[in-house]
Amino acid sequence: MSLPSPFGDLSAQLVTGSAVCELASGIDSLYWSLNGVLPDRELERLEAHRSMAEGAGETVPFLLGGEEFGIEPFGFMRMYKFHLVHPHGRIGVTASKSLPTVYVQPNAEFLHGVGPEACAGWFNELVSGLVPGGVPKASRVDLFMDLQGWDPTPEMRDRFVTRSSHRRVYENDRKMTALQFGKRGSGVHSRIYCKSTEVAAGSVWWHDLWGDAWDAERPVWRIEFEVHRVVLGQLGIDSLDDLFAGVGGIWGYLTEWLSLRVPAADETRSRWPVDPVWEAVSHASLRNGAAGLKRTYGANREASLRRIVVSMRGYMSSYGALIDETDVERLGPCLTSVLHEWEIETGDPFSWQVDRKKRRYGLP
């Protein structure tokens, strides 16, 4: 069963009188499960590789559907014994009948790189051998809208009407950085925060998704809802197909669960008029596109390299201080010598460590 959008055909057009500009909207996170009987041969293979990982004290390669994952020496989410990792995301697997057999958690770069439906298709094809005939069931979805033309303030807290009694305001130097409604892990949790700050720290591929409408001189605010299975079930959402078909109806429910109002004489805030800004929010297009894997992973790679250089500079300067060496040219050979000594002492060549990291990052 899927829900029709309460607004009819979804459109990115803005409500008359609102200065809000939608930059992107749709699915930001998506987790799902599949249930079935784990074949004995697959269980034996998982057990053998998990034992190897425990013995080595590190991730070991594990082939799944022709794709190389790694299997961790520890479990996933404290519930799943087998923890498979890949640059595109994580998979938990169990033989327990009290849990879904497989739990899938893709990462943001893959989800936004190829789009939600292609992301789900890639994972489900791989895990089909673990759960033959298993139907993907939606466990959690995060829906979002990124916008400009609206700058919320701490004073707006009392203009929000919500079905949750929990709300928090985060400020920095008297400027609001985030609003939170509901509690994490409950049926619905919402956050309104400045997305520009987060993107500036590394995920610059968002600029591609925002497109030409994005004004680099203005802050981008995100309205985000985290929705768990208990509420999805109440909305008639069971399978991933239900979710993809009913995303408009879910957004309609969420933008009624939380809404921004215009103060009026009525003492009952729920009867205050809906703010034009929120009218625009409720009409989000929810058609987030795919940024492309090269862009999403490439941007994160550049940000990771920069963070590593910053850390490396700190460690090298500390080492230089301890051995009284201020010249970086002379410090380099010293560090190389130390690394060679460490290889001999541990029996773990540096090249092996590099190969393990390359597999973790999905690099050739």
Side-chain angles (χ1 to χ4, degrees):
M1 173 182 177
S2 62
L3 291 171
S5 168
F7 310 113
D9 293 335
L10 295 174
S11 170
Q13 293 182 348
L14 302 181
V15 173
T16 303
S18 170
V20 170
C21 175
E22 175 187 323
L23 301 180
S25 64
I27 296 174
D28 188 50
S29 294
L30 179 61
Y31 308 146
W32 68 94
S33 64
L34 297 93
N35 208 6
V37 178
L38 189 63
D40 290 341
R41 65 181 184 279
E42 294 297 340
L43 179 57
E44 291 170 3
R45 202 163 64 91
L46 287 163
E47 291 280 11
H49 283 75
R50 164 72 190 251
S51 294
M52 285 191 288
E54 289 175 341
E58 63 182 18
T59 308
V60 299
F62 181 87
L63 283 178
L64 180 63
E67 189 77 22
E68 183 176 306
F69 280 69
I71 189 165
E72 299 280 14
F74 50 84
F76 179 58
M77 297 173 59
R78 299 183 180 181
M79 297 182 292
Y80 287 85
K81 180 177 181 180
F82 306 108
H83 184 178
L84 307 182
V85 294
H86 188 277
H88 293 347
R90 300 175 182 272
I91 297 175
V93 185
T94 182
S96 171
K97 291 182 171 55
S98 61
L99 291 170
T101 312
V102 172
Y103 190 89
V104 183
Q105 183 175 308
N107 66 28
E109 291 80 13
F110 187 56
L111 180 71
H112 288 289
V114 301
E117 295 189 53
C119 168
W122 186 86
F123 274 101
N124 290 333
E125 182 177 351
L126 293 179
V127 302
S128 60
L130 296 177
V131 279
V135 177
K137 305 285 188 179
S139 298
R140 168 184 157 185
V141 64
D142 294 2
L143 299 181
F144 79 100
M145 177 181 181
D146 290 341
L147 55 88
Q148 288 186 311
W150 175 60
D151 295 305
T153 64
E155 292 74 25
M156 286 185 182
R157 174 178 57 184
D158 295 329
R159 289 178 50 198
F160 280 95
V161 173
T162 176
R163 298 178 190 177
S164 172
S165 59
H166 180 86
R167 66 180 69 199
R168 295 186 66 179
V169 178
Y170 297 87
E171 299 178 56
N172 183 15
D173 195 23
R174 297 185 179 181
K175 291 184 178 180
M176 195 188 79
T177 57
L179 276 165
Q180 177 181 300
F181 303 91
K183 294 183 179 180
R184 296 297 303 270
S186 61
V188 178
H189 169 262
S190 179
R191 286 200 307 152
I192 299 173
Y193 62 98
C194 187
K195 184 66 176 178
S196 308
T197 304
E198 180 183 287
V199 168
S203 301
V204 294
W205 48 268
W206 274 102
H207 297 164
D208 290 346
L209 285 179
W210 291 340
D212 295 336
W214 171 56
D215 182 350
E217 302 300 319
R218 305 171 71 186
V220 176
W221 285 87
R222 167 164 291 195
I223 298 170
E224 180 179 271
F225 294 94
E226 176 184 305
V227 192
H228 289 261
R229 184 164 181 80
V230 60
V231 172
L232 292 174
Q234 293 168 3
L235 295 175
I237 303 296
D238 184 33
S239 69
L240 282 187
D241 288 341
D242 291 340
L243 189 146
F244 293 140
V247 66
I250 301 171
W251 186 257
Y253 167 82
L254 296 171
T255 50
E256 292 177 357
W257 182 90
L258 174 69
S259 60
L260 180 66
R261 304 301 181 105
V262 177
D266 198 317
E267 293 183 359
T268 303
R269 290 187 303 154
S270 61
R271 291 200 288 262
W272 290 358
V274 175
D275 192 292
V277 166
W278 207 256
E279 290 284 357
V281 169
S282 68
H283 284 76
S285 68
L286 304 176
R287 297 192 183 112
N288 55 328
L293 290 179
K294 184 175 181 180
R295 180 58 178 155
T296 56
Y297 282 105
N300 273 14
R301 182 180 181 182
E302 292 171 11
S304 295
L305 286 171
R306 183 169 180 80
R307 288 193 295 269
I308 290 170
V309 168
V310 171
S311 299
M312 185 167 59
R313 179 181 172 86
Y315 283 118
M316 288 179 66
S317 60
S318 296
Y319 188 79
L322 291 171
I323 67 171
D324 194 24
E325 180 56 77
T326 59
D327 189 289
V328 70
E329 298 292 341
R330 292 194 293 268
L331 187 61
C334 293
L335 291 171
T336 300
S337 177
V338 169
L339 288 174
H340 282 316
E341 291 175 6
W342 183 259
E343 286 182 314
I344 295 171
E345 180 181 338
T346 62
D348 188 4
F350 183 74
S351 60
W352 291 5
Q353 291 184 313
V354 172
D355 287 340
R356 289 195 294 268
K357 294 292 178 66
K358 288 174 70 175
R359 286 198 299 270
R360 181 180 301 174
Y361 295 139
L363 299 173

